[in-house]
């Protein structure tokens, strides 16, 4: 389907956890090989440039397991391999991680920012334990901040629409 855009080279192995740095949170995926990742995504058909996963996810209790090109998921954001719990939780065999990830592609899953998010999803695939550092004490602050930023954005759009409507009414009266 055409050429893939490239980020700086990162050594990737199947089963690696990929941490993607969005503006105010991290999105997580698991590398399954051949430039592809499996990740949990909100139910949105919007173009990637318009997606705000955190805001969309906050409005939904469902998400979908997707398999996409790593570069399409990362977009213009920074990312890294982050198998951060390997020392405390031995990873499952790579073949099992990849098989489980592939079997889930296309499935609808429960979603909750604090208990069933994309980080919980990939951690369970790699370690067999669903966990998320984004929703610890520090993580709850990040989630709250992301929701607040989304709310402020929606309020800003609403204010602009109301202002525009008021100006139109004023011009009609004149």
């Amino acid at each position: 389907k055409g050429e893939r855009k490239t980020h700086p080279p990162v050594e990737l192995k199947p089963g690696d956890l990929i941490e993607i740095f969005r503006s105010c949170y991290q999105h997580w995926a698991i590398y399954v090989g051949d430039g592809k990742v499996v990740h949990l995504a909100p139910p949105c058909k919007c173009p990637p440039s318009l997606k705000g996963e955190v805001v969309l996810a906050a409005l939904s209790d469902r998400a979908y397991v997707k398999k996409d090109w790593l570069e399409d998921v990362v977009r213009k954001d920074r990312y890294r391999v982050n198998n951060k719990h390997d020392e405390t939780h031995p990873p499952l065999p790579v073949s099992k991680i990849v098989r489980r990830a592939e079997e889930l592609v296309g499935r609808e899953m429960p979603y909750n920012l604090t208990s069933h998010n994309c980080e919980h999803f990939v951690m369970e695939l790699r370690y067999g334990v669903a966990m998320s550092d984004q929703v610890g004490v520090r993580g709850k602050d990040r989630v709250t901040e992301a929701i607040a930023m989304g709310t402020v954005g929606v309020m800003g759009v609403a204010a602009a629409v109301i202002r525009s409507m008021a100006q139109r009414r004023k011009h009609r009266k004149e």
Side-chain angles (χ1 to χ4, degrees):
K1 250 191 180 179
E3 263 181 57
R4 306 273 34 131
K5 50 191 176 211
T6 57
H7 277 53
V10 172
E11 179 82 25
L12 298 172
K13 296 181 290 300
D16 277 343
L17 298 175
I18 309 298
E19 181 179 21
I20 304 161
F21 298 92
R22 300 291 196 230
S23 57
C24 59
Y25 69 100
Q26 285 79 41
H27 183 61
W28 289 82
I30 194 152
Y31 187 71
V32 292
D34 299 323
K36 299 269 185 133
V37 295
V38 170
H39 63 118
L40 199 57
C44 177
K45 302 272 191 232
C46 350
S49 60
L50 298 178
K51 268 188 190 175
E53 287 104 341
V54 153
V55 174
L56 292 171
L59 302 175
S60 178
D61 64 351
R62 310 302 294 165
Y64 293 90
V65 180
K66 295 184 178 181
K67 182 178 180 182
D68 293 307
W69 291 102
L70 171 64
E71 298 298 332
D72 290 344
V73 176
V74 169
R75 303 188 300 249
K76 294 180 181 180
D77 295 321
R78 193 171 54 84
Y79 74 99
R80 68 176 176 170
V81 171
N82 187 356
N83 300 322
K84 62 185 175 179
H85 294 295
D86 281 8
E87 290 183 22
T88 56
H89 293 81
L92 298 170
V94 171
S95 60
K96 184 173 184 172
I97 295 169
V98 172
R99 185 180 67 250
R100 288 174 66 211
E102 298 272 2
E103 287 171 352
L104 292 171
V105 171
R107 295 243 327 249
E108 181 181 68
M109 307 284 281
Y111 190 92
N112 181 293
L113 281 172
T114 59
S115 63
H116 292 91
N117 66 36
C118 59
E119 186 176 5
H120 289 100
F121 174 73
V122 298
M123 294 295 167
E124 184 163 359
L125 287 171
R126 183 169 177 87
Y127 303 112
V129 179
M131 53 189 150
S132 172
D133 292 339
Q134 291 189 90
V135 291
V137 173
R138 194 173 120 219
K140 283 186 182 164
D141 292 341
R142 281 192 214 150
V143 170
T144 301
E145 178 184 332
I147 292 169
M149 288 178 73
T151 302
V152 167
V154 169
M155 289 171 59
V157 170
V161 169
I162 291 167
R163 191 176 321 114
S164 174
M165 289 170 57
Q167 286 174 341
R168 272 191 245 147
R169 264 191 238 129
K170 181 180 174 185
H171 288 296
R172 272 191 248 148
K173 287 181 181 179
E174 292 175 350

